[in-house]
Amino acid sequence: KMKPLQGGIKRARNNQPEEWIQEGDVVVVLFNFYTGSTDFLEGAPFGNLPGGLLVSTLVDSVLENRWITPLSNVSCLILILIMSILGVALARTTGPVVYWLVTLLAGTIYFLVAIYLFAYKDVMLSWVLPLLGLLGGGTIQYVKRRLGSELKAVAMENQFLVERALRLEEEKTNLQLAERLNLGRAIQQILLPPLGAQDHGPFTFDMSYIPNKEMSGDWVYIWGKDNSEKRVIIGDVVGKGPSAAIPVAILIGILGECEKVDMAMDETLHYLNRRVLELFGKQVTCSCSAIVMKSTMEIELYNAGSPGWFYRGEGKSRHISMRSSTLGMSPEAYFAREKLFLTPGCFLFTFTDGYMEGARAFRRLIT
């Protein structure tokens, strides 16, 4: 206990005993306080420390043999490590509200324990660095988790936006493709001749065209030169889609020009070959076959890379292969030509497919 002497001097002058001092107590009289000439030790944990308090504390320690015991450096490091691990564990296993409540409660309890040990058990327990470890380790882990979740959310949102942009771009492309397909189908339907059986002299010819779900390169052209001759020309541009359908319209236009100038069939095929090379530069090729019907039973067959013809007559079947070049592959093209005298009731059939596919189909038909 600390008391100023001013009140004690007054009571002594009045012959009043000091009731707060008991027999056996040690009284230390500190001078220079009453006159204002006091000394203080600066830099104490809780402000300036009066020199008299330090002297009285030292006297108390000597009389009671009680001394403040600091923890070792190793114990302090272990304590700091434990508090840091505790903060990290709290940040990883609890939510925001629970984390901050438990952290503040644990920090407060630790601080009170440190004060209690210092004041009543003479043990100097480090409290600044362990609390910094608790708050620092936990806060760093908490911020890391929060930022990690936020970054993941941002990354997922960015990925979603990218996927959505790709979907929109894909839908746009599909819509444009659908428009082109519709346009291509319309063009193909316009370019196709009237379907159905037709007669020419002793011949009856027919054709079948079943559109696919996409544009294709199949085409048919009926060349009605005059009453004594009619040509049926069929072909197939290699490929699918607009790259195959667009050349079809060009080929039909070229055939129309050839028909206007009354061009021979062999010359027509060579002219088609030159024009395809000039326009597409070996990027587009086309197989083609033609039949020229006259007023007699004699016909002429032409072939440019198609599988040829299937012939059935007089109880026999055979494949007229007519190996030849394909339109658009080389300026030095070779086109097969063959004359054939038909008999009543015979049958001719061909495909628009290329040579390999058509030849296999013909073999199956003959078998």
Side-chain angles (χ1 to χ4, degrees):
K1 297 179 180 179
M2 295 188 62
K3 297 284 186 178
L5 282 178
Q6 183 179 11
I9 293 174
K10 289 182 178 180
R11 285 190 294 274
R13 288 174 178 173
N14 296 328
N15 296 321
Q16 296 177 359
E18 294 292 342
E19 296 178 355
W20 62 279
I21 299 176
Q22 304 297 326
E23 184 178 358
D25 290 345
V26 176
V27 179
V28 179
V29 180
L30 304 176
F31 299 97
N32 296 334
F33 268 71
Y34 181 73
T35 61
S37 176
T38 59
D39 63 320
F40 287 89
L41 299 177
E42 299 179 357
F46 299 98
N48 296 334
L49 179 66
L53 180 61
L54 179 61
V55 173
S56 60
T57 302
L58 182 60
V59 171
D60 180 72
S61 299
V62 172
L63 295 175
E64 300 291 336
N65 195 24
R66 295 173 57 221
W67 304 93
I68 297 175
T69 305
L71 294 179
S72 64
N73 294 332
V74 176
S75 300
C76 290
L77 292 177
I78 294 175
L79 192 58
I80 294 172
L81 180 61
I82 293 174
M83 296 297 288
S84 300
I85 293 175
L86 177 62
V88 173
L90 288 173
R92 292 178 64 89
T93 57
T94 60
V97 177
V98 177
Y99 165 73
W100 289 111
L101 289 177
V102 174
T103 300
L104 293 176
L105 181 61
T108 303
I109 292 174
Y110 181 84
F111 177 75
L112 294 177
V113 169
I115 297 299
Y116 170 78
L117 292 177
F118 179 80
Y120 295 96
K121 301 298 180 181
D122 304 318
V123 177
M124 188 170 65
L125 184 65
S126 176
W127 61 273
V128 176
L129 292 179
L131 287 182
L132 288 178
L134 174 68
L135 294 175
T139 304
I140 291 174
Q141 185 65 29
Y142 173 77
V143 172
K144 179 182 177 182
R145 289 187 62 194
R146 295 288 294 180
L147 289 179
S149 60
E150 291 294 333
L151 291 176
K152 288 181 181 179
V154 171
M156 291 180 63
E157 185 176 0
N158 290 337
Q159 186 177 4
F160 171 76
L161 293 176
V162 170
E163 290 291 336
R164 186 176 180 183
L166 292 176
R167 291 289 181 87
L168 292 176
E169 187 67 25
E170 185 178 354
E171 290 178 2
K172 178 182 177 182
T173 303
N174 292 337
L175 182 60
Q176 293 176 347
L177 181 59
E179 293 176 353
R180 294 176 183 176
L181 287 173
N182 292 332
L183 177 61
R185 292 192 190 99
I187 294 175
Q188 284 182 304
Q189 294 296 331
I190 293 173
L191 295 176
L192 284 175
L195 300 180
Q198 301 181 35
D199 295 325
H200 176 75
F203 305 100
T204 298
F205 63 93
D206 198 355
M207 67 204 74
S208 175
Y209 180 81
I210 302 175
N212 197 7
K213 293 181 180 180
E214 58 181 338
M215 288 187 288
S216 61
D218 301 295
W219 54 273
V220 180
Y221 186 83
I222 299 179
W223 184 320
K225 182 177 180 182
D226 51 38
N227 294 331
S228 63
E229 180 179 312
K230 180 160 288 191
R231 305 174 188 176
V232 178
I233 310 170
I234 67 174
D236 183 17
V237 175
V238 176
K240 299 292 183 183
S243 62
I246 293 175
V248 170
I250 298 175
L251 288 172
I252 298 297
I254 296 174
L255 285 173
E257 296 175 1
C258 295
E259 184 178 2
K260 286 181 181 179
V261 297
D262 194 16
M263 193 176 292
M265 191 66 239
D266 186 69
E267 186 181 356
T268 298
L269 292 177
H270 284 282
Y271 182 72
L272 274 176
N273 185 59
R274 290 197 306 270
R275 292 294 292 152
V276 171
L277 286 172
E278 291 173 1
L279 293 172
F280 303 106
K282 297 184 180 181
Q283 300 298 317
V284 173
T285 59
C286 177
S287 59
C288 175
S289 58
I291 181 171
V292 179
M293 296 172 288
K294 300 180 181 180
S295 58
T296 64
M297 295 296 288
E298 180 186 12
I299 64 170
E300 294 179 355
L301 300 177
Y302 292 87
N303 195 30
S306 286
W309 295 83
F310 174 82
Y311 173 78
R312 180 186 176 95
E314 299 177 352
K316 298 180 181 180
S317 299
R318 66 187 179 95
H319 175 209
I320 307 173
S321 60
M322 302 180 68
R323 294 179 178 272
S324 54
S325 303
T326 303
L327 297 175
M329 291 192 68
S330 172
E332 292 80 21
Y334 168 73
F335 304 118
R337 175 188 177 189
E338 185 172 333
K339 286 188 177 182
L340 192 65
F341 290 91
L342 303 180
T343 57
C346 66
F347 179 78
L348 280 170
F349 179 85
T350 190
F351 295 103
T352 57
D353 283 331
Y355 180 80
M356 295 300 296
E357 295 84 355
R360 286 195 294 266
F362 280 137
R363 282 195 292 269
R364 288 194 297 270
L365 281 175
I366 294 173
T367 303

